[in-house]
Amino acid sequence: MTYLGSIDGRGPKLLEREGATNRPAPRSFEPRHAGIAPASTTRKRRRLGPGPAIPFGLQIGPLVLVLIWVAGSGLSLIDPRVLPSPWAIASTFGELIADGRLQSNFLTSSVRALLGLGFGIAIGLLLAIASGLSRVGEALIDGPIQIKRAVPTLAMIPLLMLWLGIGETMKVTIITLGVIVPIYMHTHNALRAIDERYVELAETLRMSQRDFLLQVVLPGAVPGFLLGLRFAVTLCWVSLVVVEQINATSGLGYMIELARSYGQTQVIIVGLVVYAFLGLASDGIVRLLEKRLLSWRRTLAH
Amino acid sequence: MIMPVASGNIAARAQEPAPLLATVPPGTKLVVGDPQTKVALQLSGLIDEIPFEIEWTNLSGGPQTSEAFRARALDVGSVAEIPSIFANWNDLPVRNIAYREREDPIGHPIYRFGIAPGVEVKTLADFRGKRIAFSPGQAQGALVLRALQAAGLAKTDVTLVELPSTGDAYPIALASHQVDVAPIGGVLIRRYLNQYGADGATVIEHGLRDDPSHLYAPQWVLDDPAKAAALAVYVEFWARATQWVNDNPEAWVEGYYVKDQGLNQEDGEYLVELTGKQIVPANWDEVVARHQKTIDLLATELGYEPYSAEQIFDRRFEPLGATALAAR
């Protein structure tokens, strides 16, 4: 385990004992001698991690993108046929909200996406635990998941229509199938990546199988699960474009597809902006969750 | 190129079908993929008179409809002339059960040929040497072949670029010079000219009939006496809905194009003007003969086995639409 990331004053003990004195001071050209502290011991040590967090750092990138869009359109550097201006999109937003289309489509899509997400998380988690903690489970489960991962959802649609018809069941199932994969992959990987030392420690402490699962394995898998969840929350939204191409009369994906057949680029971009926002917001929620659940962790992120 | 050819089952089902039942047996349900007619029936109030249960689906276009037929998830769909022809070549036995056309097909074509900005094409003969967007299984594909035939050109005189016409794929392919010529329809014609006309984009008329509109159903649905009886009633309502749209263009613009499809008033009026009036002929001889020509042309150009167009029309339904209109 590396403690490099913890050089932030919160957990320096181990570092000081193990190696701080062996490390060169930043921009220090004095010759180094083992065991002799650098000339200027009071100078601040150079941080190797990314440094302290910038307030609202995660929002800066998207904001820059929007600014480029605004400036590009304002200065007529962007052809409006290629990308309509932000104010044109804003007015289309206004129209779609005024006649209620955006809200009703959003509502239908949300139900589909969240149902798919819910089922996907539950199934993906169960499969990952079954496959991660038992060799029989792995033999039975891991292969099919890898197959699912390799098969494009679009190509599966005809088959799913044969099995499930063209109604809601088919649509939610497609989203669920998509969500299962990242949840499974990351949880399974985290379960299998638990450090042997913890297993040995648990054995030394004569932990029961149950306590070992509850106190070592499952907490150890949480970071992986949460990473999977970050993929899953955006995936459940983007799947809508695929599932709502079939026999849908409402939903964000349907709105985008319909606009495509009439060449209404602005409506398409409104849909994309909603997706972008949903993606960013869902991801933000999972990151918050991460912060809470993983507060025990000392990593580069903190 | 290896293409699937029609198997013997077309000949097998050419035998005389059972006459239609006079009434729809109770408990019969149809799954219908005809979104436009659904809205017309709703707007006109006719929907309340339909004497059996309908489950409406929002499926349109040949590929989607045929896919749903294969999944046994749909009983009847609404398309142009090509999908039923291709379905039979691809082992999906279907038949047309209703037919309508535009009153003035040459003056009100569905498609026009979009010409990429800066490309010199004034007549069909100018297609020689050009790159043309081509979608074999769709109406647009057959139209390209028929235009070449009309201009006396062979497939080898042009470069056919295989590209499915989904959404606004064709206008975009034209604007970005991926192709020189592509058939575009409806409101996309207007948008294409508005957006790229200044750069030199044009459209030309093809002067051919491209207006057939059919209801079609899989053979297994037509073989079910209860479903066939319900289909007969549906054809009558479909004809009445068609007539209602002819008679109420303003309500149609407002109720369908604006409310249901999210277009603006101007686009809706443009589309109504583009369509003109639609009629439901009582006799199918002419359309079957034209269908035969299309089948033969596609068979020659794409390497399929030609078959008799009679086999994909269920003549039991022939008089129903026109009779329903005459009765009013």
Side-chain angles (χ1 to χ4, degrees):
Chain A
M1 197 175 284
T2 171
Y3 287 83
L4 276 183
S6 61
I7 318 176
D8 59 0
R10 280 186 282 177
K13 277 183 194 144
L14 207 124
L15 208 124
E16 275 167 12
R17 196 180 65 234
E18 268 182 4
T21 48
N22 288 337
R23 284 168 203 276
R27 278 161 264 118
S28 158
F29 297 102
E30 288 92 346
R32 277 172 283 152
H33 302 287
I36 298 178
S40 159
T41 43
T42 51
R43 194 186 292 174
K44 237 180 144 196
R45 274 197 315 272
R46 177 174 156 199
R47 300 289 186 255
L48 289 173
I54 303 171
F56 300 104
L58 295 176
Q59 282 76 42
I60 292 174
L63 199 68
V64 169
L65 280 181
V66 171
L67 287 177
I68 291 174
W69 186 17
V70 170
S73 298
L75 299 171
S76 304
L77 296 174
I78 300 175
D79 184 342
R81 295 174 303 187
V82 175
L83 181 64
S85 66
W87 36 98
I89 300 306
S91 84
T92 309
F93 246 109
E95 285 162 28
L96 288 174
I97 289 172
D99 66 15
R101 269 177 82 198
L102 193 61
Q103 299 92 311
S104 74
N105 285 326
F106 176 72
L107 197 69
T108 326
S109 284
S110 303
V111 173
R112 283 186 188 129
L114 295 178
L115 273 177
L117 182 67
F119 289 129
I121 291 174
I123 297 170
L125 205 54
L126 283 175
L127 292 178
I129 291 171
S131 161
L133 298 182
S134 97
R135 293 293 173 191
V136 178
E138 184 175 42
L140 287 173
I141 295 165
D142 199 63
I145 298 272
Q146 304 311 323
I147 292 173
K148 164 64 198 72
R149 196 155 74 97
V151 173
T153 309
L154 267 177
M156 283 180 69
I157 286 179
L159 205 60
L160 287 167
M161 279 170 65
L162 274 175
W163 296 343
L164 304 167
I166 51 178
E168 284 302 304
T169 319
M170 182 264 299
K171 297 186 179 72
V172 173
T173 305
I174 289 176
I175 300 175
T176 304
L177 283 173
V179 167
I180 287 174
V181 172
I183 296 283
Y184 172 89
M185 290 291 294
H186 292 283
T187 312
H188 181 259
N189 180 57
L191 281 172
R192 282 294 158 90
I194 287 172
D195 204 301
E196 182 66 27
R197 280 183 295 174
Y198 296 123
V199 184
E200 282 166 7
L201 181 66
E203 281 167 356
T204 313
L205 293 173
R206 299 185 189 284
M207 262 190 178
S208 67
Q209 183 78 24
R210 188 174 159 275
D211 288 345
F212 171 63
L213 274 182
L214 290 179
Q215 292 176 29
V216 178
V217 175
L218 292 182
V222 168
F225 166 73
L226 287 170
L227 181 58
L229 191 58
R230 283 182 62 189
F231 280 99
V233 288
T234 37
L235 196 72
C236 75
W237 291 113
V238 298
S239 305
L240 292 171
V241 171
V242 174
V243 306
E244 289 176 351
Q245 282 177 27
I246 311 136
N247 185 30
T249 46
S250 59
L252 292 171
Y254 168 75
M255 189 182 85
I256 290 178
E257 272 303 305
L258 189 66
R260 257 196 89 191
S261 63
Y262 289 122
Q264 296 167 311
T265 317
Q266 299 190 2
V267 177
I268 297 175
I269 294 177
V270 166
L272 296 182
V273 170
V274 174
Y275 275 128
F277 177 76
L278 285 173
L280 212 58
S282 324
D283 195 58
I285 292 171
V286 182
R287 283 185 174 201
L288 267 179
L289 200 67
E290 241 174 7
K291 245 183 194 162
R292 286 258 165 127
L293 289 176
L294 303 181
S295 54
W296 48 270
R297 225 167 40 154
R298 288 280 161 261
T299 64
L300 267 187
H302 296 89
Chain B
M1 198 173 2
I2 299 170
M3 290 273 193
V5 292
S7 46
N9 57 6
I10 290 179
R13 78 187 114 80
Q15 56 198 314
E16 206 52 44
L20 294 167
L21 298 177
T23 53
V24 181
T28 308
K29 189 181 115 179
L30 276 189
V31 186
V32 177
D34 188 4
Q36 277 206 16
T37 305
K38 178 198 174 189
V39 179
L41 289 169
Q42 280 171 336
L43 293 172
S44 61
L46 287 168
I47 205 163
D48 301 325
E49 296 175 31
I50 298 178
F52 54 88
E53 191 195 339
I54 290 187
E55 183 188 326
W56 296 99
T57 64
N58 193 34
L59 295 166
S60 58
Q64 273 207 345
T65 310
S66 290
E67 196 173 55
F69 282 158
R70 280 183 209 280
R72 307 261 166 159
L74 186 69
D75 293 327
V76 60
S78 168
V79 285
E81 66 178 335
I82 304 303
S84 60
I85 296 177
F86 269 88
N88 282 295
W89 268 323
N90 294 321
D91 271 334
L92 174 68
V94 296
R95 287 180 175 222
N96 294 322
I97 59 166
Y99 169 66
R100 77 178 163 215
E101 58 189 25
R102 296 183 174 189
E103 203 172 52
D104 172 18
I106 306 298
H108 291 95
I110 296 179
Y111 300 102
R112 285 174 172 82
F113 279 105
I115 313 296
V119 173
E120 265 305 296
V121 173
K122 299 279 179 237
T123 66
L124 299 184
D126 297 334
F127 282 10
R128 185 184 293 278
K130 300 291 188 292
R131 292 167 303 157
I132 306 177
F134 180 64
S135 172
Q138 294 184 285
Q140 291 93 328
L143 181 65
V144 167
L145 294 177
R146 289 173 56 217
L148 291 178
Q149 192 185 41
L153 295 172
K155 238 177 27 169
T156 45
D157 292 329
V158 299
T159 309
L160 294 181
V161 180
E162 265 197 42
L163 182 70
S165 168
T166 48
D168 50 0
Y170 276 13
I172 287 173
L174 285 169
S176 56
H177 288 278
Q178 305 302 305
V179 294
D180 301 318
V181 176
I184 49 181
V187 79
L188 294 175
I189 299 173
R190 184 173 132 106
R191 287 217 207 297
Y192 178 60
L193 288 178
N194 280 347
Q195 292 195 312
Y196 300 100
D199 298 350
T202 52
V203 299
I204 63 164
E205 305 279 341
H206 49 66
L208 302 165
R209 280 200 84 126
D210 65 358
D211 62 329
S213 168
H214 295 278
L215 293 180
Y216 74 139
Q219 188 61 43
W220 59 81
V221 174
L222 295 167
D223 288 340
D224 175 339
K227 293 248 185 198
L231 283 175
V233 175
Y234 184 71
V235 168
E236 293 170 5
F237 277 92
W238 166 88
R240 289 171 68 186
T242 303
Q243 189 59 43
W244 182 87
V245 172
N246 282 340
D247 296 342
N248 299 278
E250 278 136 42
W252 183 238
V253 167
E254 179 60 26
Y256 181 66
Y257 289 120
V258 176
K259 285 244 170 65
D260 194 73
Q261 298 289 290
L263 288 169
N264 58 35
Q265 183 80 17
E266 243 188 329
D267 283 337
E269 283 164 8
Y270 172 78
L271 285 171
V272 162
E273 169 60 29
L274 210 59
T275 309
K277 292 223 181 302
Q278 301 200 91
I279 48 178
V280 181
N283 182 292
W284 288 354
D285 291 344
E286 215 182 300
V287 65
V288 174
R290 271 190 280 127
H291 235 75
Q292 188 65 56
K293 280 191 189 146
T294 308
I295 293 174
D296 294 343
L297 175 69
L298 291 172
T300 316
E301 295 292 343
L302 303 174
Y304 286 95
E305 197 72 34
Y307 59 88
S308 162
E310 278 299 342
Q311 290 168 349
I312 53 170
F313 282 83
D314 192 332
R315 294 258 192 177
R316 291 180 298 173
F317 294 85
E318 183 171 359
L320 301 177
T323 312
L325 292 183
R328 286 166 70 239

